[in-house]
């Protein structure tokens, strides 16, 4: 079987909801990431790309009708380069990376661009058609996040808890305290602040020039979501649910961003003189009850490690998407890891940085590959929880 | 705690976060923070899909 290498990647800064990237269409945002990847790797023959796989969780607005293909063309890649959009909700970008690696390991491809995009600011309202002629009622759904057009059978079978409610369900069922959630959230902010200050996160970023109605374009070059806070400030925040412990302060944000990574075969690495960051060795996905979807990363990680003949202790870097501090802590404790493990999310996570749904997994894969290379470590796992009850995990190994 | 069959609601997805401009202190540049009107908190959408 051929080895799949994660060669390099790039991402936009993560914009705050309604922030600096909110005027940029998602297809343009993804095209920017693709163009920036092309610029970073000038030795590659980009007309030879076998596929462009982008994760995207919404696809109800300007990201409709295969945003991967649209972005590929908008980026100026040749029309012969194909593209497909993957949707595993929050896990979409990571699924794109894992699927690209599978294509390469199977021998079906040599060069695949994998990434993701989400503009949650620009997620549209959508309306179903009227069920009857001359109907005088209309439904409108906000597609920014969460359930819409709910199937009544789904409702009766599994419930349709909001995402924060699933975080609260995990906190309640596992007895995860507000104090522990806030401490986790503060660590995310502090680690992100360190990574921002050191320039570590800037290595991942291709600044975006955003045209303005008047005057010069504004260049967005830093992640907008992180904020200075404290345990005292976090403790003041009102819980989302009466008697609950999940707050906006210990949850991920609603954000905009795009990422693009190059996954290549050994043959392509040699042909174009590339220096890969990591190997993409395996991927696993699992299902869990939707009402505790945040626990999905535990079985996904265990399935991944079982398949690779590894134990949790064999993992040098673990990147666990921080949908909610409650679910992250539930997963860590389930895996037998301490709440403040140094090798888990060493540069912070989505509580601080934000979570543009379809982009996040690709960002995590890139950031983890950089961390693996920087540390000279052997193995890393990237894992995410997914709405409607799934987990996904990808194994990266030293190149 | 919810049970299967109990719907979520949009209200579940907006919560208080520390004000990004005054770090939750409620004060900025020697006065009340204009972003959060001195409360130290702002309403924010909560993420995940």
């Amino acid at each position: 079987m051929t080895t799949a290498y994660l060669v390099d990647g790039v991402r936009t800064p993560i914009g705050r909801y309604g922030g600096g990237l909110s005027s940029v269409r998602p297809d343009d945002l993804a095209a920017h990431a693709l163009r920036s990847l092309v610029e970073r790797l000038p030795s590659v023959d980009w007309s030879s790309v076998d596929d462009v796989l982008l994760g995207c969780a919404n696809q109800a607005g300007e990201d409709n009708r295969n945003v991967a293909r649209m972005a590929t063309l908008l980026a100026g890649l040749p029309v012969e380069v194909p593209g497909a959009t993957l949707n595993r909700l929050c896990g979409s970008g990571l699924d794109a990376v894992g699927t690209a690696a599978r294509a390469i390991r199977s021998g079906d491809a040599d060069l695949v661009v994998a990434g993701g995009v989400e503009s949650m600011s620009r997620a549209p309202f959508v309306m179903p058609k009227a069920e009857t002629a001359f109907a005088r009622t209309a439904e409108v759904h906000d597609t920014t996040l969460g359930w819409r057009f709910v199937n009544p059978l789904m409702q009766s079978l599994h419930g349709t808890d909001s995402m924060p409610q699933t975080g609260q369900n995990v906190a309640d069922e596992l007895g995860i305290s507000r104090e522990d959630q806030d401490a986790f959230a503060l660590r995310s902010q502090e680690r992100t602040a360190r990574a921002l200050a050191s320039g570590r996160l800037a290595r991942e970023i291709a600044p975006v020039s955003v045209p303005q109605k008047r005057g010069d374009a504004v260049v967005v070059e830093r992640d907008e979501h992180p904020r200075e806070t404290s345990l005292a400030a976090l403790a003041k925040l009102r819980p989302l649910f009466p008697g609950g412990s999940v707050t906006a302060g210990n949850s991920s944000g609603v954000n905009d961003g795009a990422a693009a990574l190059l996954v290549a075969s050994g043959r392509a690495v040699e042909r174009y003189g590339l220096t890969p960051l990591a190997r993409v060795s395996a991927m696993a996905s699992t299902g869990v009850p939707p009402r505790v979807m945040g626990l999905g990363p535990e079985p996904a990680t265990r399935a991944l490690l079982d398949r690779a003949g590894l134990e949790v202790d064999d993992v040098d870097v673990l990147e666990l998407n921080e949908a909610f501090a409650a679910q992250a802590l539930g997963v860590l404790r389930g895996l037998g890891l301490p709440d403040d493990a140094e090798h888990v999310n060493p540069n912070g996570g989505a509580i601080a940085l934000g979570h543009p749904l379809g982009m996040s997994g690709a960002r995590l894969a890139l950031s983890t590959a950089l961390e693996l290379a920087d540390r000279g470590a052997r193995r890393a796992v990237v894992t995410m929880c997914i709405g409607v009850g799934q987990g996904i995990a990808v194994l990266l190994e030293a190149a | 705690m919810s049970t299967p069959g109990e719907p979520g609601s949009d209200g579940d997805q907006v919560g208080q976060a520390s004000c990004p401009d005054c770090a939750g202190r409620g004060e900025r540049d020697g006065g009340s923070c204009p972003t959060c009107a001195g409360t130290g908190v702002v309403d924010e959408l909560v993420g995940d899909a």
Side-chain angles (χ1 to χ4, degrees), chain A residues 161 227 238 240 252 291 293, chain B residues 2 12 16 18 46-48:
Chain A
D161 287 348
R227 64 197 62 194
R238 191 171 57 239
L240 272 78
S252 59
R291 63 186 307 281
M293 67 90 205
Chain B
S2 69
D12 291 351
Q16 289 184 334
S18 292
V46 174
D48 204 53

Side-chain angles (χ1 to χ4, degrees), chain A residues 6 98 157 179 243 297-298 302 321 335 386:
Chain A
L6 198 171
L157 288 174
E179 291 72 23
E298 184 188 342
R302 291 200 184 281
N321 192 43
L335 291 172
I386 299 167

Side-chain angles (χ1 to χ4, degrees), chain A residues 11-263:
Chain A
R11 68 173 176 91
T12 68
I14 296 177
R16 187 177 290 174
Y17 184 81
L21 299 179
S22 60
S23 63
V24 183
R25 293 171 55 114
D27 46 2
D28 286 332
L29 205 57
H32 174 75
L34 293 173
R35 273 194 302 272
S36 302
L37 183 69
V38 169
E39 288 165 9
R40 277 199 183 199
L41 298 167
S43 70
V44 172
D45 174 7
W46 291 94
S47 67
S48 298
V49 170
D50 294 298
D51 217 347
V52 175
L53 304 176
L54 297 185
C56 186
N58 192 316
Q59 304 182 59
E62 294 157 335
D63 46 8
N64 78 97
R65 297 190 75 240
N66 192 0
V67 69
R69 174 64 175 164
M70 303 282 190
T72 301
L73 294 176
L74 290 167
L77 287 165
V79 294
E80 289 79 11
V81 176
T85 306
L86 277 68
N87 193 345
R88 203 188 287 270
L89 295 183
C90 296
S92 301
L94 189 57
D95 204 342
V97 175
T99 300
R102 283 176 176 169
I104 286 166
R105 287 199 303 271
S106 73
D108 273 354
D110 283 302
L111 285 175
V112 181
V113 175
V117 62
E118 207 77 46
S119 175
M120 300 179 78
S121 294
R122 299 181 72 82
F125 294 115
V126 295
M127 291 179 69
K129 291 175 179 169
E131 293 282 351
T132 59
F134 307 107
R136 298 181 61 232
T137 57
E139 278 178 58
V140 177
H141 297 268
D142 178 0
T143 67
T144 306
L145 76 168
W147 296 91
R148 50 260 190 190
F149 297 104
V150 170
N151 186 322
L153 181 59
M154 176 67 72
Q155 173 92 0
S156 63
L157 288 174
H158 295 287
T160 54
D161 287 348
S162 69
M163 293 299 104
Q165 180 67 63
T166 69
Q168 189 62 56
N169 292 344
V170 169
D172 292 344
E173 290 189 10
L174 300 184
I176 297 170
S177 70
R178 167 74 181 268
E179 291 72 23
D180 288 349
Q181 291 174 58
D182 285 350
F184 185 92
L186 184 62
R187 275 193 296 278
S188 178
Q189 295 285 358
E190 289 173 342
R191 290 180 181 188
T192 297
R194 276 203 305 273
L196 281 167
S198 71
R200 166 65 181 78
L201 293 180
R203 289 166 58 196
E204 304 172 1
I205 291 175
V208 183
S209 179
V210 182
Q212 305 294 301
K213 283 184 179 158
R214 291 187 191 82
D216 296 336
V218 169
V219 177
V220 180
E221 55 189 355
R222 282 175 69 88
D223 296 313
E224 293 181 331
H225 198 74
R227 64 197 62 194
E228 185 188 339
T229 189
S230 64
L231 277 180
L234 288 167
K236 277 198 316 190
L237 304 177
R238 191 171 57 239
L240 272 78
F241 309 99
S245 52
V246 170
T247 71
N250 57 39
S251 305
S252 59
V254 169
N255 303 87
D256 308 327
L261 287 61
L262 183 64
V263 185

